[in-house]
Amino acid sequence: MFKLSSRGAATLMLLGALVGSLTMTNASAMSNSTRKTLTRLQTKQEKVTKTSRKVDREFDRVGVKNLNALMQADDNGQVPTELDSGLSVYQLSRATKVSIGGKKTVTLPKGAIVRGSKYTLNPKFPSRFSINIADLTKANQRKAFKAFGVTTENCNFVLDSKNKTRLLPYQNSTAFSYKGVMNLPTLQTKNLQSYYDNDRQNNPFVIVTADNYLNYYTNYQAKKSGRIQYDHYTQSVKIKKFTRGASTYTYYLAKPLKGFGVKKVRVGKKTEYRLTVSLGHVFQAFDNDNLDPGMYRMTVKVGKKAFYVDLGGISEAYINRLTNNPYGSNVVDQTAAQAYIQGLK
């Protein structure tokens, strides 16, 4: 297990705004020529070959519990020894006033569970701590959305001598967090347009909240900005129990999650609904304009639905080694990448 650092926090904070502003392929407005192109790419990427089986076997071996590590970026061309700090989970030591840089503020209560990281935009001013709003507890989400608007992804507070708030590492093992690290990253629905690099804007996605709700969004968007309205989930189901297996996650839900193929089971005297999450096929996306090979993605199976995450540069270097790809972009040494992936436990 890798430790956590504050590296890349400012980049993480700005990522949500960047993704929201990209021009994406709208699946419902897809032209016939685009559909034909993506269908061709899908057919090629999903074809089972000896090489594809080898790649899938190597990545599936590490299990969904190492998914964050498979998404890890390089550290100036080197394999890092620490996971991205933006995955860190804490509790606030006291009631804390947070903002989005303007006059609007909201107070999160003492003990609030938060995910985020420290960042510094100007060394002349105190650092701040950025909090992801969408995975706060649902009660704290409502407070933040009411104050900042439902399309706001992050809020923050100042880390200085005047602010007595301490970030206490959250060590509870829950569906949301394990040993102070977020368990499950945001999962984007895998569909035809996923074979283009720029994909997310109109795709459904899944997150787990700090109070252990599984939220499924079908991307309700603000009419003017097109940004996701994070309070408009289609389904929100309480996770009653969570098991972190060697290769899979298993959620026991309080009620069915429609369309996911949950299995009704008896747990003691109660009825719950079992949902399994595991890794699937590794595939490649392509540039929207010129179809140049782009990033690799990992399929994540949630019940009977397929989602995906973007793999990081370390994973890409190892895939290039496994496939003997002479044209692949290797941000880190392939041998080091292999040792990194094979060393995940």
Side-chain angles (χ1 to χ4, degrees):
M1 178 67 68
F2 290 88
K3 295 181 180 180
L4 299 169
S5 74
S6 60
R7 175 174 42 82
T11 301
L12 179 76
M13 178 191 178
L14 298 173
L15 180 59
L18 174 62
V19 170
S21 67
L22 289 174
T23 300
M24 307 295 182
T25 302
N26 186 329
S28 62
M30 192 181 295
S31 68
N32 288 334
S33 61
T34 297
R35 190 176 300 277
K36 288 180 180 178
T37 297
L38 289 173
T39 299
R40 177 172 57 83
L41 294 175
Q42 179 188 53
T43 300
K44 179 180 179 181
Q45 287 299 306
E46 298 303 315
K47 182 179 180 180
V48 177
T49 65
K50 183 178 180 180
T51 300
S52 72
R53 282 197 297 267
K54 179 169 64 174
V55 173
D56 289 348
R57 184 170 58 248
E58 281 294 296
F59 280 78
D60 185 59
R61 180 185 60 80
V62 306
V64 70
K65 66 181 181 179
N66 287 308
L67 184 56
N68 287 320
L70 294 178
M71 299 168 66
Q72 179 78 3
D74 68 295
D75 184 7
N76 294 319
Q78 302 297 316
V79 172
T81 58
E82 301 174 335
L83 281 174
D84 193 314
S85 61
L87 300 168
S88 304
V89 179
Y90 304 95
Q91 280 187 294
L92 301 181
S93 67
R94 65 195 294 269
T96 302
K97 189 174 292 186
V98 297
S99 71
I100 54 172
K103 294 182 179 180
K104 294 181 180 179
T105 64
V106 68
T107 299
L108 296 181
K110 177 182 178 180
I113 303 169
V114 298
R115 176 179 68 88
S117 56
K118 174 183 174 181
Y119 69 98
T120 304
L121 296 178
N122 188 328
K124 294 181 180 180
F125 297 98
S127 297
R128 291 178 174 268
F129 186 82
S130 175
I131 294 171
N132 185 282
I133 297 175
D135 56 29
L136 291 169
T137 64
K138 291 174 73 174
N140 287 335
Q141 283 180 29
R142 285 192 288 271
K143 291 180 182 179
F145 290 139
K146 183 177 181 180
F148 307 136
V150 298
T151 64
T152 304
E153 296 180 66
N154 300 92
C155 60
N156 62 81
F157 65 90
V158 177
L159 291 167
D160 61 13
S161 58
K162 295 180 182 179
N163 192 326
K164 303 299 181 181
T165 298
R166 290 182 294 120
L167 294 163
L168 307 175
Y170 184 69
Q171 296 297 329
N172 292 8
S173 293
T174 69
F176 177 64
S177 174
Y178 179 75
K179 292 184 177 180
V181 180
M182 183 184 185
N183 255 323
L184 193 72
T186 299
L187 304 179
Q188 305 287 338
T189 291
K190 182 181 178 183
N191 55 23
L192 194 59
Q193 71 191 61
S194 304
Y195 299 89
Y196 270 165
D197 276 341
N198 292 337
D199 165 52
R200 293 177 179 80
Q201 187 173 335
N202 298 288
N203 256 359
F205 63 97
V206 165
I207 65 170
V208 174
T209 67
D211 50 347
N212 303 309
Y213 279 85
L214 190 65
N215 283 0
Y216 176 60
Y217 296 77
T218 50
N219 266 29
Y220 290 95
Q221 296 173 314
K223 292 181 179 179
K224 292 183 178 180
S225 67
R227 298 184 67 185
I228 297 166
Q229 298 183 79
Y230 286 95
D231 65 331
H232 288 183
Y233 38 77
T234 305
Q235 298 185 70
S236 182
V237 179
K238 180 70 174 181
I239 301 168
K240 303 292 288 185
K241 179 183 175 182
F242 167 73
T243 59
R244 194 173 189 269
S247 60
T248 63
Y249 286 164
T250 304
Y251 301 99
Y252 292 87
L253 308 176
K255 62 181 182 179
L257 192 64
K258 297 177 182 178
F260 282 73
V262 297
K263 185 175 181 180
K264 187 177 180 179
V265 295
R266 294 289 293 179
V267 180
K269 296 182 179 181
K270 296 182 178 180
T271 297
E272 294 178 359
Y273 299 86
R274 187 172 63 204
L275 179 69
T276 301
V277 178
S278 61
L279 300 183
H281 179 59
V282 175
F283 65 102
Q284 192 167 26
F286 296 81
D287 184 271
N288 293 48
D289 298 317
N290 55 31
L291 298 185
D292 284 344
M295 68 184 69
Y296 284 97
R297 289 171 168 165
M298 168 66 80
T299 303
V300 182
K301 296 175 286 186
V302 183
K304 69 178 185 180
K305 284 186 177 290
F307 294 82
Y308 77 86
V309 296
D310 293 336
L311 294 176
I314 306 168
S315 293
E316 181 177 355
Y318 187 37
I319 293 170
N320 290 335
R321 184 182 184 91
L322 291 170
T323 58
N324 296 313
N325 181 3
Y327 306 108
S329 174
N330 298 309
V331 294
V332 300
D333 177 76
Q334 288 187 355
T335 301
Q338 178 177 352
Y340 171 91
I341 301 297
Q342 294 184 345
L344 295 174
K345 296 180 181 180

